[in-house]
Amino acid sequence: MKNIFVVGVGLIGGSFALDIKKLNPECTIYGVDNNEAHLDEAITLGVINEKAGFNDLEKADLVIVAIPVDATLSVLPKVLDAISDNAIVFDAGSTKEDICTKVKNHPKRRNFLAVHPIAGTEYSGPSAAIHGLYKNKTNIICEVEETAFKLQEKALKLFADLGMRIRYMNPKAHDKHIAYVSHLSHISAFMLGKTVIEKEKNERDIFDMAGSGFESTVRLAKSSPAMWTPIFEQNKTNVIETLNEYISNLKHFKSLMEDGNFEAVYNEMETTNHIKDILNGIQ
Amino acid sequence: MKNIFVVGVGLIGGSFALDIKKLNPECTIYGVDNNEAHLDEAITLGVINEKAGFNDLEKADLVIVAIPVDATLSVLPKVLDAISDNAIVFDAGSTKEDICTKVKNHPKRRNFLAVHPIAGTEYSGPSAAIHGLYKNKTNIICEVEETAFKLQEKALKLFADLGMRIRYMNPKAHDKHIAYVSHLSHISAFMLGKTVIEKEKNERDIFDMAGSGFESTVRLAKSSPAMWTPIFEQNKTNVIETLNEYISNLKHFKSLMEDGNFEAVYNEMETTNHIKDILNGIQ
């Protein structure tokens, strides 16, 4: 693969660019982005080699679409329109059903692989791009059977070179489960941050009282609203379901406290301690 | 200070023991704990030098009480009964009002300093004790004026040697604000863990989908129920208040999603992004 195009030169696209360049020093990384300042920054930082436009996509061997999921719905069909028959295109969005539906009948559907790398940080933009972001991370691939076998192979070789492990799912199941293990965490962090800021807005010194526990729990509240708003919009039904269950669990915990039933409060926590084993499984 | 007693040889007491021994290699660290296995483990790990009992406390120069806050209510008066007039005793509990009230009229009240070091990890027991836990951490001291000046000085010298920064508060204000920046984070993490475990209990593979974001947000759900249940019990009123506000914010976010008002969803997150500046202040 010689000509690699990254549409969206932020954290996700930029981190792919850095590692692909390292794996294939002879390739050229082209950046496509409607934010001109990001393209300039990406060149300065060595994340991409050159700026490019949709007209250049015909020479692409690989196109990575790493933009907010609402933009992907309009941009991905245009990318598929512009590429040659031999190019492989994958996205990196945190929702999969709407995107798969959108390109279901596109004449170049078999050039597209629906991908969700479970990797990232709370930072965004080209300066957030880092080497090794994808090493040992899970990569979820949806509707793999809809992608041409030879192009699947190319993409899977790349993911293997990056050190990723692959999981196959259908888009509906992906969106349902990712609402629990990713989207809900973001809302719980944002609302924790909001609750504390509202309460303490006139007492800045109070944040001296906050330790690493608060910092860890609220970390995702630094995330980009431009990225997360369309994710919540596309995954609205599933996310609302997780919120209902989360709110219900919080209310139950509160009612146990109100009743002075601290044996039950203890049990709630002890049962959930089991998360240790699960998290050990992640690492 | 030659004879240092640590009542409760877990993460908090053990970490004090390790650093105090490093600062004063000639001192002897005595461990007091009703868990005999923990005492043996603490000796093996080099966290303490010797086991001891309440009868030995009369020779103490310093006693650190680092046990669950409900146990502190019964143990602290006994410690004060047993010490000499020249000993300084401090606790490390995450609630301060009940403890200060409990010893308010104790004849040795002036030997006690009410302390809350904002430091810890999600682990517990002697093996969780680490060097340097308190470096650059905030240490909240309550009712400092109730402690004899010479004994205050001893404790403050120690905290300075450990690299801690001091904040003075009254116990009521401490308990109110710590409910927001610490206690609520723990409940939000425990209930997030519960919500995900309940949903996904039959689908262990799903946790392959969980990334570092989920891990960070749910980390505190590994915490010890034995430590946290009495904290929630003692700080019940404040914690319930924070839960009401947190639940109300979550419901509001959900209703914005249900109404399809994603501009407002964006604004909710953008406003809370300000947490970045606050967290930068912590670090």
Side-chain angles (χ1 to χ4, degrees):
Chain A
M1 294 200 290
K2 288 194 68 158
N3 295 318
I4 316 291
F5 283 71
V6 177
V7 182
V9 294
L11 162 69
I12 297 299
S15 297
F16 272 120
L18 287 172
D19 279 354
I20 291 173
K21 184 72 183 178
K22 200 172 175 187
L23 288 167
N24 309 295
E26 77 293 346
C27 79
T28 304
I29 310 270
Y30 298 89
V32 181
D33 204 305
N34 56 19
N35 183 329
E36 196 71 21
H38 274 188
L39 285 174
D40 291 334
E41 195 183 350
I43 288 178
T44 308
L45 293 166
V47 170
I48 61 169
N49 299 117
E50 292 183 28
K51 300 183 197 183
F54 279 77
N55 291 338
D56 305 304
L57 286 171
E58 60 183 349
K59 67 179 172 191
D61 296 300
L62 163 67
V63 185
I64 301 168
V65 179
I67 54 182
V69 293
D70 54 341
T72 303
L73 291 184
S74 56
V75 168
L76 180 58
K78 287 183 207 161
V79 169
L80 292 175
D81 290 343
I83 55 166
S84 78
D85 285 344
N86 301 316
I88 171 79
V89 179
F90 67 83
D91 79 321
S94 190
T95 52
K96 292 268 84 57
E97 196 177 359
D98 280 9
I99 286 162
C100 287
T101 304
K102 182 76 184 185
V103 295
K104 190 178 167 57
N105 297 312
H106 193 285
K108 292 247 181 64
R109 173 64 184 87
R110 297 186 71 74
N111 292 71
F112 172 61
L113 190 66
V115 168
H116 181 195
I118 309 294
T121 71
E122 67 275 31
Y123 303 108
S124 50
S127 62
I130 50 175
H131 278 286
L133 179 65
Y134 301 107
K135 198 172 165 59
N136 299 323
K137 301 293 164 55
T138 298
N139 199 14
I140 301 170
I141 296 180
C142 292
E143 294 190 342
V144 67
E145 68 284 357
E146 301 297 326
T147 308
F149 184 70
K150 277 194 176 173
L151 297 176
Q152 281 178 37
E153 271 190 324
K154 273 193 193 177
L156 288 173
K157 166 80 167 63
L158 171 64
F159 300 143
D161 289 345
L162 292 171
M164 307 188 84
R165 50 179 194 176
I166 305 299
R167 294 289 179 273
Y168 297 99
M169 296 188 88
N170 71 61
K172 244 191 217 314
H174 168 277
D175 286 8
K176 190 176 175 63
H177 294 299
I178 205 73
Y180 282 90
V181 293
S182 167
H183 303 174
L184 177 60
S185 309
H186 283 79
I187 298 176
S188 84
F190 269 110
M191 291 303 100
L192 177 65
K194 181 183 174 178
T195 305
V196 176
I197 288 173
E198 276 182 344
K199 189 64 188 183
E200 307 292 9
K201 60 191 161 202
N202 297 318
E203 310 193 51
R204 293 294 303 272
D205 288 355
I206 296 307
F207 287 100
D208 282 351
M209 296 176 76
S212 59
F214 175 68
E215 196 181 347
S216 160
T217 318
V218 86
R219 178 170 70 87
L220 296 179
K222 299 181 195 174
S223 303
S224 156
M227 179 182 152
W228 281 95
T229 305
I231 291 172
F232 295 144
E233 191 165 3
Q234 285 189 18
N235 208 18
K236 178 175 158 175
T237 309
N238 290 314
V239 171
I240 287 173
E241 184 190 311
T242 69
L243 275 172
N244 279 330
E245 291 170 24
Y246 185 53
I247 291 167
S248 155
N249 282 327
L250 284 162
K251 280 181 168 171
H252 178 65
F253 192 93
K254 182 167 79 87
S255 76
L256 294 175
M257 285 189 64
E258 283 165 344
D259 297 347
N261 186 353
F262 286 95
E263 197 182 322
V265 164
Y266 181 99
N267 291 337
E268 286 277 300
M269 291 191 277
E270 201 193 25
T271 312
T272 307
N273 268 174
H274 162 56
I275 200 84
K276 278 178 199 166
D277 309 321
I278 293 167
L279 291 175
N280 287 341
I282 295 177
Q283 285 161 340
Chain B
M1 296 199 286
K2 287 195 69 161
N3 295 319
I4 316 291
F5 283 70
V6 178
V7 183
V9 293
L11 162 71
I12 296 298
S15 297
F16 271 120
L18 286 173
D19 278 354
I20 291 172
K21 184 72 182 178
K22 199 171 175 189
L23 288 166
N24 310 295
E26 78 292 347
C27 79
T28 304
I29 310 270
Y30 298 90
V32 181
D33 204 305
N34 55 18
N35 182 329
E36 196 71 21
H38 274 187
L39 286 173
D40 291 334
E41 194 183 351
I43 288 177
T44 308
L45 292 168
V47 170
I48 61 169
N49 300 117
E50 291 183 28
K51 300 182 198 185
F54 279 78
N55 292 337
D56 305 304
L57 285 172
E58 61 183 349
K59 67 179 172 191
D61 298 299
L62 164 67
V63 186
I64 301 167
V65 179
I67 55 182
V69 294
D70 54 342
T72 303
L73 291 183
S74 57
V75 168
L76 181 59
K78 287 183 207 158
V79 169
L80 292 175
D81 291 343
I83 56 165
S84 79
D85 286 342
N86 301 316
I88 170 78
V89 179
F90 67 83
D91 78 323
S94 189
T95 51
K96 292 269 83 58
E97 196 176 359
D98 279 10
I99 286 161
C100 287
T101 303
K102 181 76 184 184
V103 297
K104 189 178 167 58
N105 298 313
H106 193 284
K108 292 248 181 63
R109 172 63 185 88
R110 297 188 70 73
N111 293 70
F112 171 62
L113 189 66
V115 168
H116 180 195
I118 309 294
T121 70
E122 67 275 32
Y123 305 108
S124 50
S127 63
I130 50 175
H131 277 287
L133 180 64
Y134 301 107
K135 196 168 167 62
N136 300 324
K137 300 291 165 57
T138 297
N139 199 14
I140 300 170
I141 297 181
C142 292
E143 293 190 342
V144 66
E145 68 285 357
E146 300 297 325
T147 308
F149 184 70
K150 278 193 176 174
L151 298 176
Q152 280 178 37
E153 273 190 322
K154 274 193 193 177
L156 288 174
K157 166 79 166 63
L158 171 63
F159 300 143
D161 290 345
L162 293 171
M164 307 188 84
R165 52 180 192 175
I166 305 299
R167 293 288 179 272
Y168 298 99
M169 294 187 90
N170 71 61
K172 242 189 215 321
H174 169 276
D175 286 9
K176 188 175 177 62
H177 294 299
I178 206 73
Y180 282 90
V181 293
S182 167
H183 303 174
L184 176 60
S185 308
H186 283 79
I187 299 175
S188 84
F190 269 111
M191 291 303 101
L192 177 64
K194 180 182 174 179
T195 305
V196 175
I197 288 172
E198 275 182 344
K199 190 64 189 185
E200 307 292 8
K201 59 191 163 203
N202 297 318
E203 311 193 51
R204 291 296 302 272
D205 289 354
I206 295 308
F207 288 102
D208 281 349
M209 295 176 76
S212 60
F214 176 68
E215 196 181 348
S216 161
T217 318
V218 85
R219 179 170 70 89
L220 296 177
K222 300 181 192 175
S223 303
S224 157
M227 178 181 155
W228 280 96
T229 305
I231 291 172
F232 295 144
E233 191 164 4
Q234 286 188 17
N235 208 19
K236 179 175 158 175
T237 310
N238 290 316
V239 171
I240 287 173
E241 185 189 310
T242 69
L243 275 172
N244 279 329
E245 291 170 24
Y246 184 52
I247 291 167
S248 154
N249 282 329
L250 285 162
K251 281 181 169 171
H252 177 64
F253 192 92
K254 182 166 78 85
S255 76
L256 293 176
M257 284 188 64
E258 284 164 344
D259 298 345
N261 187 353
F262 286 95
E263 196 182 322
V265 164
Y266 180 98
N267 290 337
E268 286 278 298
M269 291 192 275
E270 200 193 25
T271 312
T272 307
N273 268 175
H274 162 58
I275 201 83
K276 279 179 198 167
D277 309 321
I278 293 166
L279 293 174
N280 286 341
I282 296 176
Q283 284 161 341

